[in-house]
Amino acid sequence: MQARKKYVLLGLCACCWLVLFYWGGGVQLRLLRLLTRQRGEVVRPWPNWTDRAFLPRYAHLDELQTDPGTAESPRQRRQAWSAIYKDSRCRMETCFDFSRCRRRGREGFRVYIYPSEKNDHVSESYRKILTSIAESRYYTSDPREACLFVLGIDTLDRDQLSGQFVPNVDERIRGYPLWNDGRNHLIFNLYSGTWPNYTEDLGFNIGQAILAKASLNTEHFRPGFDVSIPLFSKDHPQKGGERGWLVRNTIPPRRKYLLMFKGKRYLTGIGSDTRNALHHIHNGKDIVSLTTCRHGKDWEKHKDARCDHDNLEYERFDYQELLHNSTFCLVPRGRRLGSFRFLESLQAACIPVLLSNGWELPFSDVIQWNQAVIEGDERLLLQVPSTVRAVGNERVLALRQRTQMLWEAYFSSVDKIVLTTLEIIKDRVFSHISRNKYMWNSLPGGLLVLPEYSTHLAHFPFYYLGLGVSPGQEFTAVIHAVSPLVSQSQPIMKLLQVVSKSKYCSQIIILWNSEKPPPIRSKWPPMPVPLTVTDGRRKTTSRFLPHVAIETEAVLSLDEDTVLLTSEVNFAFLVWRSFPERIVGYPPRSHFWDPLKHAWGYTSKWTNDYSIVLTGAAFYHRYYHYLFSHYLPQSLRTLVDRSSNCEDILMNFLVSAVTHLPPIKVAQRKQYKELPSPQGTKSVPWANPEHFSQRQECVNTFANWFGYMPLVHSQFRLDPVLFKDQVSVLRKKYKDLERA
Amino acid sequence: MYASGKYSSRGPALIPRMKTKHRIYYITLFSVVLLGLIATGMFQFWPHSIESAADWTLDKRSVHDAPLVRLPVSSPIPERGDLSCRMHTCFDVYRCGYNPKNRIKVYIYPLQKFVDELGVPISSTGLSREYNDLLSAISDSDFYTDDVTRACLFIPSIDVLNQNSLRIRETAQALTMLPRWDKGMNHLLFNMLPGGPPDYNTALDVPRDRALLAGGGFSTWTYRQGYDVSIPVYSPLSADVELPERQPGPRHYFILSSQTAIHREYRAELERLKEENGEALLLLDKCSNLSQGVASARKRCYKGQVYDYPQILQESSFCVVLRGARLGQAALSDVLQAGCVPVILADSYILPFSEVLDWKRASVVIPEEKLSEMYTILKSIPHRQVEEMQRQARWFWEAYFSSMKAIGLTTLQIINDRIYPYAARTYEQWNNPPVVKWSSVNSPLFLPLIPPRAPGFTAVVLTYDRVESLFRVITEISKVPSLAKLLVVWNNQNKSPPEESLWPKIGVPLKVVRTKENKLSNRFFPYDEIETEAVLAIDDDIIMLTSDELQFGYEVWREFPDRLVGYPGRLHLWDHEMGKWKYESEWTNEVSMVLTGAAFYHKYFNYLYTYKMPGDIKNWVDAHMNCEDIAMNFLVANITGKAPIKVTPRKKFKCPECTAIDGLSLDQTHMVERSECINKFASVFGTMPLKVVEHRADPVLYKDDFPEKLKSFPNIGSL
């Protein structure tokens, strides 16, 4: 065929095709629809009904607004409830007597511990729990003022086969005059039930008592009433506790192994289904899942074909090594739902992958676990490898840091576990003065956030970035005055001048701690900012009392003899606004470990690093006043008051314990200790050697209470950008700082 | 399409043999054919929505066309819901499977009209407008699937929103008639008004086997935590009334009670509160003598004075939401819409979406017993918190209450989060209103860590061909005690790096990476060779930094591992005349950027720079061969919300020997270009993330009157 004809033909074909398309489109569409119909069901979303506008409302407005109401009086209904909803259906509304906690806030929430009887055997763990409560700020020895009662009988281990099992609990508690069917009682338990079924049975009737229990099952958990606690070993430290193992954020965040498990395999009985399947995901390379049958006395009796091979493989890997080098750690159920492994992997920053269906996670009321662990499903074990592989690097980084945050905030010591339990209950009792989820789940954790101070996030020093706000533009100066006012040339007069001149200063409070009564108003110099004089009752700790008069977020704490310049104050304040959660001050001090004395040392020598800045002149957030007065125990504050010393060290301990960071030292024109003693009238306290050794002791006492040394060293100081540079003075904003 | 491809490929070979006239003819013909084919293809695969409605009868159907299903009297009744149901006991996860998008698939049963043997329908209303809205929203969402075999969740089209309009037994029978009912496994029912007189149960009374219930008005005894979803009671006023958002702040009234059917015991209590506190409280009730034709639902009265509802809600800071016979109240939705902080008095009530929403930030929950203390409790809340709660309340309404679509999709998202917990939305995503999401930062390196000194840092030197200068830099840096490794990024494709033997001998490993293209962004690539988290980016001509300065820089970085720690600082300024940002390299008192000619930072930021840099910034930098440091400063400040740290007095990177023309950072056009960069980046980020500070970090004893030899870092250079 000629080329030309060929093309004419082609053209004709095309035209036919086009004609067919444009005029016979309907035929094609029908064809097309037939084709798609064959492939499956027709794509048929919910139809757009033609008469949708005429559809009736689901309820009339009147019906919604005019609630039918019942004749029953609400008061009667509430009373009736407590008769219906008890025992396994207990809720705070029905099983808890709020009137026992009548007084508001901290004062109202008191915990009483029953005295233990002489021949009682109390386990190590329970002793620690009781110690934590007894040393907490909620403890009371008077049952009449108690809101919550804790048994002296050890109820941790309710496995009848265990050596720790305490018999006849039922009879004993029923003998208690205050038992009242368990109302307002808190019962701790770690192990319930026994072989082979490990039920949730405690072996005695807890009645209406709140249960703080490990391995709680969601079915038995009474929401908003019980508290799920983690399983912890008897070696768990009383206070302080080890820090998490994550010391740096490596990039990429993956470790040598992707996923690991090393533990027992149950050949029979409850929990064996899950544990028996774990070997399936073992690949010997990045997923190491090792089980052994060798546990218990008669393991060889139940031994199966895999046992020998598994046992061999099991010996090849070291648990600790795996824990350090794995990105994810499997936390499958054992006989009970929770296991030690959970806390171990949390501490090791090995992201837990939970295989424990129905486990009510520890402190699930308040902690958002999906931001720290991978909640797997026992039924989907074989999907676990692909699931964890699909977790992106960014998420791994976030999950891992979150494990550390939670570990350090709530789990690293028995103290923290017990206090968290108490705080959760307290938040329920005083529900309108309680922490929100954000406070519980962001740094520094709920225990350090006291809702009695405020329930507003922006009132705390740690949430500025998360809320997208910045700290206020003004500060309040609090001057600690101890010497009587005799002359107008006293250092305090100069100090008042200097501070009030700062454009950021909104008010000055003089804390009058002198033996003489405060002078009359007119004796004070006139100032551009309001001046308040309050009575400190000659207590050293009064300088950190949360005075209501302090309205700004920033507090500038000052000794009466501090010598400062306005520009020094201004500069330090601007620095504080960049670091509102820390102490920003001038004269530094340092602590160190003295290996000879096996104790902490304190030094005021000039060193290349520091861990304390003195609060004789320092900026910090006013919330720390509240923490100082309400979070720290009375014993430490008494120690400070008795010796009139160490209050600044204690404040540094507190703030560093909250932030895990050092304070910040800023540039200062002169060194604090070089100041001439004021008119030679009063001896400078820090010249006194006794004063110094007292401080040494303080450091050790404080470290003892915290359970660890919270102070952190820093090696830098913050100076103005052009500080002491060889550039024109005219350029410099803080030129005063450089004048000799 | 296939045919056309074939011919057109042969075309060019044939065409030259023909005359020009024919050629034009054929080319035209060809184009027509081609166009025609393309058009055909497009029409065939175009979404069906633009097809002529005449062919697609689906949208022309009426609700009344739904097929009729007659329920035999003897058809089975499901069991009453099982209170112990949880996701792992009553829900079949295998249906949801592993899926890369982590999204559940939802199937909606086609509408059927169920009647009993006598032909009486099972519900007095049939499909309600609200339920229809809900189902169409779900079918339009990407949860929807039409393939019943792939579905993970099934939604019956039987409307059970309001129990009052249902015949309970027959509705239950209808449920079992659903082809995939299978004991209610993976079925989701939506109900807003549960219970009926006289007991008013708090969950739907229709027996429903294992079906999940999205219910309004659950109490803590009927709510199966982690299984059911608590949803709001939708208020149809939301669609009818538009209440513009009001600025948070104090309102005319402090407390407002606007519900009409309040139990007299509560009303007496409220009256007493009003007596004590006067004007601050406004207690409204139903209007008794309204003229005909006025919707009583839209009016409220107090002593003969008439107020518009829900507009009046906007005039109060707090609005009381008391329980009635039911726990869930539609008034809650109205109150939130008005930006009024709800004061909820309903003991045992499970608040809507409480699994994910933090109600403490948007409401005040007071035990019914403490109604008399309400005023004192509310007065103790700080003003700023009230404002935040008002904003939060409005945001909850907008995002989760405002329409049936919002309610339905939120419910599905919650269930989705349970099935794929590792892909769940975060607290911030659920709870932060857009304005907070925009201004707040969630740093990816949020844990306060001071990493140990030991692993040291990796120095990354970007070089092109200045070998001599490069060798000097290498020799200098190798004196820094904490240097762990040196990485030379050889950015010259035309020239090979010098032979191994010519490189300076240093005590740490030295690696050379050759790049494929001469790009500035190569300096910020997260090379596998960088094994430390600390990276020192350094130019190949920077030799003036002393070993003390560098070591000190590293020490400071350890205390600020989430920031850029650099030497010379720079500033951005707002130029009022030009109305745009300006780059400033003068020696000012302020700093908002540090140059990356020598700067320490976390390796994570390399990863972010390479893979997560917003917009086309990376390409812009490579094209202009400039501003990579400004881009890095923007990136870090944006994600951490923090300023960089300038260390030591150093102000410039110029060595005495360098000539004036050498190096980039000199001429005037360069400065203009850098200003342009700032403006460009600020527009890409949509904000100015840089933070200005007035401090720099020096060693503790810097310039102090103290013996130099006792200082850790005595040799800190000058400007």
Side-chain angles (χ1 to χ4, degrees), chain A residues 4 7 11 14 17-18 21 28 33 41-42 44-51 55-58 62-68 70 72-75 77-78 81 85 89 91 93 218 223 246-249 251 358 368 370-371 375 379 383 386-387 390 394-395 397 401 404 432 434-438 443 455-458 465-466 468 571 574 578-579 606-608 714-725 727 731 733-734, chain B residues 14 22 26 29 33 36-37 40 43-44 56 58-59 61-64 87-88 91 94 98 109 111 128-130 132 139 144 162 164 200 220-221 225 233-234 236 260-261 263 265-266 286 297 300 323 325 329 348 358 360-361 368 384-385 421-422 424 426-427 439-441 444-449 452-453 533 555 559-560 563 586-587 589 602-604 607 612 649 651 694-698 700 702-703 705-706 710-712:
Chain A
R4 185 175 165 166
Y7 281 97
W17 175 249
L18 276 175
F21 175 74
Q28 270 195 18
R33 210 174 302 154
E41 284 176 49
V42 196
R44 195 172 53 184
W46 188 251
N48 229 343
W49 307 108
T50 46
D51 47 359
L55 289 174
R57 290 276 187 202
Y58 82 104
D62 288 330
E63 187 185 351
L64 283 172
Q65 291 188 356
T66 323
D67 192 292
T70 45
E72 189 191 16
S73 137
R75 200 166 293 132
R77 184 196 62 225
R78 288 200 297 271
W81 272 7
Y85 299 113
R89 300 161 87 189
R91 298 293 185 271
E93 298 96 304
T218 39
L246 187 73
V247 290
R248 57 172 170 273
N249 284 305
I251 303 294
Q368 300 217 292
N370 62 14
Q371 301 306 311
E375 289 165 74
R379 293 173 289 177
Q383 271 181 26
S386 46
T387 304
E394 266 161 276
R395 188 142 172 95
L397 198 65
Q401 290 179 80
Q404 301 296 283
H432 53 277
S434 59
R435 303 163 180 87
N436 60 39
K437 286 256 170 66
Y438 190 83
L443 285 162
T455 43
H456 183 42
L457 290 171
L465 281 174
F571 175 68
L574 290 180
S578 294
F579 304 95
W606 289 30
T607 47
N608 282 296
S714 175
Q715 297 191 63
F716 67 84
R717 166 185 99 197
L718 293 182
D719 295 336
V721 173
L722 299 177
F723 187 66
K724 295 200 177 169
D725 282 345
V727 297
R731 275 181 184 271
K733 187 173 169 190
Y734 302 102
Chain B
L14 291 163
H22 289 143
Y26 284 119
L29 188 74
V33 171
L37 287 177
T40 319
F43 266 84
Q44 285 201 359
W56 211 235
L58 208 63
D59 280 352
R61 290 194 307 178
S62 149
V63 178
H64 302 290
M87 290 309 263
H88 62 272
F91 193 88
Y94 298 108
Y98 174 74
Y109 285 100
L111 186 66
S128 70
R129 196 185 306 179
E130 281 77 15
N132 178 53
S139 80
Y144 180 74
N162 183 353
N164 285 350
Y200 288 99
T220 159
W221 291 287
Q225 201 168 10
V233 178
Y234 176 70
T260 51
H263 194 278
E265 218 168 85
Y266 292 137
K286 212 183 288 174
R300 292 290 186 273
R323 65 163 293 166
Q329 295 286 319
S348 83
D358 191 347
K360 284 188 183 165
R361 289 178 70 181
E368 289 172 43
R384 276 173 65 194
Q385 189 179 356
Y422 41 88
T426 63
Y427 172 92
S439 59
S440 67
V441 291
L445 305 170
F446 61 86
L447 199 68
L449 287 177
R453 183 178 298 123
E533 55 174 329
E555 298 290 344
E559 294 192 37
F560 296 111
R563 303 197 192 207
E586 282 290 314
W587 298 354
N589 288 289
H602 200 286
K603 188 187 170 189
Y604 182 70
Y607 163 80
K612 302 280 154 132
K651 302 277 178 286
E694 301 190 7
H695 52 250
R696 72 167 199 238
D698 288 325
V700 180
Y702 174 72
K703 295 250 171 160
D705 188 12
F706 193 73
L710 294 178
K711 292 184 181 176
S712 301

Side-chain angles (χ1 to χ4, degrees), chain A residues 3 7, chain B residues 7-8 10-20 22-24 26-27 30:
Chain A
Y7 281 97
Chain B
Y7 283 97
S8 58
R10 272 177 67 184
L14 291 163
I15 287 166
R17 281 196 270 134
M18 287 178 274
K19 290 179 192 164
T20 333
H22 289 143
R23 217 151 94 187
I24 294 168
Y26 284 119
I27 289 174
F30 250 55

Side-chain angles (χ1 to χ4, degrees), chain A residues 657-673:
Chain A
V658 171
T659 60
H660 295 300
L661 293 170
I664 284 178
K665 169 178 165 46
V666 290
Q668 192 185 14
R669 187 171 55 122
K670 280 185 176 168
Q671 289 298 319
Y672 203 52
K673 62 176 188 178

Side-chain angles (χ1 to χ4, degrees), chain A residues 483-536:
Chain A
S483 29
L485 198 64
V486 284
S487 94
Q488 287 295 318
S489 60
Q490 260 174 275
I492 191 167
M493 291 300 178
K494 175 86 169 93
L495 187 63
L496 282 170
Q497 293 286 334
V498 164
V499 172
S500 64
K501 252 196 283 169
S502 166
K503 61 180 167 185
Y504 305 113
C505 180
S506 82
Q507 54 170 342
I508 298 179
I509 295 170
I510 294 179
L511 196 61
W512 194 256
N513 268 337
S514 167
E515 279 136 50
K516 300 258 173 64
I520 50 163
R521 194 70 207 220
S522 56
K523 290 269 174 156
W524 300 107
M527 263 178 297
V529 293
L531 177 83
T532 324
V533 182
T534 44
D535 184 7

Side-chain angles (χ1 to χ4, degrees), chain B residues 352-578:
Chain B
F353 303 130
S354 58
E355 188 170 337
V356 292
L357 299 188
D358 191 347
W359 280 98
K360 284 188 183 165
R361 289 178 70 181
S363 70
V364 185
V365 179
I366 298 178
E368 289 172 43
E369 219 176 19
K370 290 195 176 170
L371 178 57
S372 56
E373 293 167 41
M374 176 170 71
Y375 188 82
T376 348
I377 290 173
L378 297 181
K379 268 291 170 201
S380 70
I381 301 173
H383 289 295
R384 276 173 65 194
Q385 189 179 356
V386 177
E387 284 171 24
E388 203 198 80
M389 286 170 130
Q390 287 171 336
R391 189 178 62 182
Q392 198 79 9
R394 173 76 185 191
W395 149 250
F396 276 4
W397 179 80
E398 268 167 23
Y400 310 112
F401 280 68
S402 57
S403 63
M404 289 304 290
K405 177 182 178 180
I407 295 173
L409 295 186
T410 308
T411 308
L412 293 185
Q413 185 64 46
I414 289 175
I415 296 172
N416 197 78
D417 281 4
R418 291 183 194 153
I419 293 169
Y420 304 108
Y422 41 88
R425 297 180 59 178
T426 63
Y427 172 92
E428 283 81 8
Q429 284 170 318
W430 283 112
N431 289 286
N432 280 356
V435 51
V436 176
K437 278 195 188 108
W438 185 239
S439 59
S440 67
V441 291
N442 282 306
S443 173
L445 305 170
F446 61 86
L447 199 68
L449 287 177
I450 300 185
R453 183 178 298 123
F457 64 89
T458 307
V460 178
V461 194
L462 183 75
T463 189
Y464 190 73
D465 58 0
R466 290 186 286 204
V467 174
E468 198 185 318
S469 152
L470 171 70
F471 285 180
R472 276 191 64 188
V473 171
I474 292 175
T475 321
E476 286 302 317
I477 309 178
S478 68
K479 294 175 192 158
V480 184
S482 283
L483 178 74
K485 190 192 246 184
L486 239 159
L487 193 66
V488 175
V489 179
W490 190 263
N491 225 1
N492 189 342
Q493 284 74 40
N494 304 321
K495 211 167 120 184
S496 299
E499 269 178 56
E500 219 182 301
S501 58
L502 299 173
W503 291 82
K505 302 283 169 288
I506 56 171
V508 296
L510 189 151
K511 285 260 169 69
V512 182
V513 185
R514 298 196 62 180
T515 58
K516 291 205 178 72
E517 255 181 295
N518 179 19
K519 281 189 192 169
L520 267 184
S521 48
N522 287 338
R523 92 173 313 164
F524 293 137
F525 188 82
Y527 299 100
D528 288 340
E529 283 83 357
I530 306 175
E531 287 164 303
T532 59
E533 55 174 329
V535 179
L536 167 67
I538 189 158
D539 283 349
D540 61 357
D541 59 347
I542 295 188
I543 46 174
M544 78 296 292
L545 291 175
T546 66
S547 163
D548 269 356
E549 262 176 301
L550 286 169
Q551 181 67 26
F552 176 67
Y554 174 62
E555 298 290 344
V556 172
W557 175 84
R558 285 178 49 231
E559 294 192 37
F560 296 111
D562 57 343
R563 303 197 192 207
L564 274 172
V565 173
Y567 297 85
R570 293 293 181 260
L571 184 67
H572 71 287
L573 287 172
W574 182 252
D575 187 334
H576 285 283
E577 278 167 39
M578 308 289 282

